[in-house]
Amino acid sequence: MAAALATCDMPTVIEGVRSARGWSQGELAQALTYSQSWVSRVVNGQQSLTVSQVHDLARRLDIPLHLLRFGGAGGAEASGVERGSGALDGTREPDDVGTRGLGRGAREELDGTGRNPSRRRDPARSVATGPSALTGGRPAGGYEGYHGINETTAPALRSITGGQRRMDATSPARHLLPGAVAHVHLAERMLGNARGTAFHTELSAAASEASGFAAWLSADLGDMGSARMHYRTAVVRARQAGMRLLDVYMLGSLAAFEIDVAEDPELGLGLVREAEHVLGPTAHPTARAWLACIGALAHAGLGDRVSAARSIRRAEREVDSPDNAQPPWPWVFAFDQAKVAGYRALVGVRLRSPHDARAAFAEAVAPAPRNVKQSALLKVELASAHAEAGDVDEAFRLAQEALTTGVRFDSERVVGRVRSFRRRYQGPRAHCVEDLDDRLSSLVTGIPLSG
């Protein structure tokens, strides 16, 4: 084993560790988190390794990096490393490994490009020693430096997501989405680089948050497929992070999307039940109240008045709990009675109980919402309640205000909700109805209203 370490004979090192620990090759592959077929090729000398992969394998097998070198005493020339250099301890990288690791005959066979396509690989030396194995100018100091991963990476990614979320209150989704998607790609790249490090869990959580926000923006623009894809990615990353509340938050967000945007309350209810199972009965009251309210929306969408009311009552009990003072991450604000009232109002609209809905809206909007797009969505719901109660002028006034916000922020979610409100209205055709029809028509044709 000492000789294998001295010459960086990774097939022998890996096989020696497997034998010493009494593992099967499948158990070895599981410990390394690589496929068994890949490990088999490495052990048999059929798979060359990059320096980064050697670092990764050594870390997973608890082999100190300073014990690994390209060549031992007298063998530096043959191993592709200048004599005396420590190629894998982060102290020095070889300057020219293109031909020095080849024997005389092999060097004579090189073609004009400096490559030797016909050369057979020595199974005892599985580390790739060509320039492609040492790309990118890895800084001295090890794996974390090379991949740009350290204890600041996840907080930096989460800070970017937080800044983007704050901008959502005052910026059109179409302006934010390209940057949000690019941020998702960056988070995923960092997560991939963090595999096998102590930072993988935090980066999984950061990637989950980034995907969740991209999903929200996609839904605002009416891109249902992308929204669903990003939400599902957010759930997967939350589970990889092993953070139960984040898992529940993303599952609940996907459920709310299916219920309220995709208009599939049955699917949404199934997701709520899965989230409740993950959450458990002893979780923070904010999480339990929030999920109960989303479940109430699903029940209302299915016409189940009794179950919807039961869910709302459960949410009301949870928010009154003395343990509900401070919201748990990833919730930013405590889930209070005003928020429950908002859901109670939405349930009333869906169950065609306009008087109950209007009373609940009055309680819910006492503190004005900070997000004008969210406020516009509430106005459409309140407009529906007024229309059901026969107050047509007020209903269409609210719909007009919501439409103005939707057009201003280019929010397909808000504009689509106004269109849905208009389709559902079957009352008399008053002037206020015609005015809204004209505005909606001008959005389709692109022809501005005259006068």
Side-chain angles (χ1 to χ4, degrees), residues 30 84 151 155 192 198 237 409:
Q30 187 174 10
E151 66 277 1
R237 295 295 177 239
F409 288 95

Side-chain angles (χ1 to χ4, degrees), residues 177-241:
L177 184 60
V181 170
H183 181 50
V184 169
H185 292 161
L186 174 63
E188 289 290 329
R189 176 62 63 86
M190 294 296 101
L191 178 61
N193 289 346
R195 192 178 75 169
T197 73
F199 310 113
H200 192 269
T201 294
E202 282 188 273
L203 281 163
S204 294
S208 176
E209 290 186 273
S211 289
F213 183 59
W216 171 263
L217 294 176
S218 297
D220 194 34
L221 291 173
D223 187 349
M224 310 283 276
S226 294
R228 192 173 281 113
M229 175 194 71
H230 286 303
Y231 271 130
R232 288 173 176 168
T233 299
V235 172
V236 169
R237 295 295 177 239
R239 290 189 174 176
Q240 288 177 340

Side-chain angles (χ1 to χ4, degrees), residues 247-289:
D247 187 348
V248 168
Y249 184 83
M250 292 305 175
L251 261 179
S253 297
L254 176 57
F257 165 79
E258 297 292 355
I259 295 163
D260 201 39
V261 181
E263 299 182 352
D264 189 346
E266 189 168 0
L267 174 58
L269 184 59
L271 290 168
V272 169
R273 286 170 175 161
E274 181 181 351
E276 288 175 336
H277 176 73
V278 173
L279 185 63
T282 60
H284 195 283
T286 282
R288 295 202 300 265

Side-chain angles (χ1 to χ4, degrees), residues 283-286 288 315-327 334-335 337:
H284 195 283
T286 282
R288 295 202 300 265
E316 290 171 339
R317 290 194 300 271
E318 294 289 356
V319 299
D320 283 338
S321 168
D323 297 329
N324 196 43
Q326 295 296 327
F335 205 77
Q337 287 292 355

Side-chain angles (χ1 to χ4, degrees), residues 329-364:
W329 179 83
W331 284 266
V332 177
F333 304 105
F335 205 77
D336 55 18
Q337 287 292 355
K339 289 186 172 63
V340 176
Y343 278 95
R344 193 189 321 121
L346 297 177
V347 167
V349 170
R350 283 152 180 73
L351 292 174
R352 305 178 73 88
S353 301
H355 299 293
D356 292 341
R358 287 201 291 183
F361 271 121
E363 181 183 344

Side-chain angles (χ1 to χ4, degrees), residues 130-156:
S132 63
L134 303 168
T135 58
R138 175 171 65 86
Y143 187 88
E144 287 79 13
Y146 176 48
H147 287 294
I149 304 298
N150 57 38
E151 66 277 1
T152 69
T153 307

Side-chain angles (χ1 to χ4, degrees), residues 1 3-18 28 32 34 38-65 67-70 88 121-128:
M1 179 64 82
L5 289 169
T7 58
C8 199
D9 180 359
M10 288 305 291
T12 301
V13 169
I14 293 171
E15 181 63 19
V17 171
R18 184 198 67 77
L28 172 65
L32 295 173
Y34 286 93
W38 186 88
V39 171
S40 176
R41 290 197 301 274
V42 171
V43 170
N44 292 323
Q46 299 168 349
Q47 173 72 50
S48 59
L49 300 175
T50 66
V51 170
S52 297
Q53 287 172 325
V54 172
H55 273 264
D56 190 29
L57 293 172
R59 181 176 290 103
R60 293 170 191 273
L61 294 174
D62 297 323
I63 298 172
L65 290 178
L67 295 179
L68 288 168
R69 294 178 180 272
F70 275 123
L88 291 177
R121 181 159 198 85
D122 180 359
R125 264 196 343 265
S126 67
V127 178

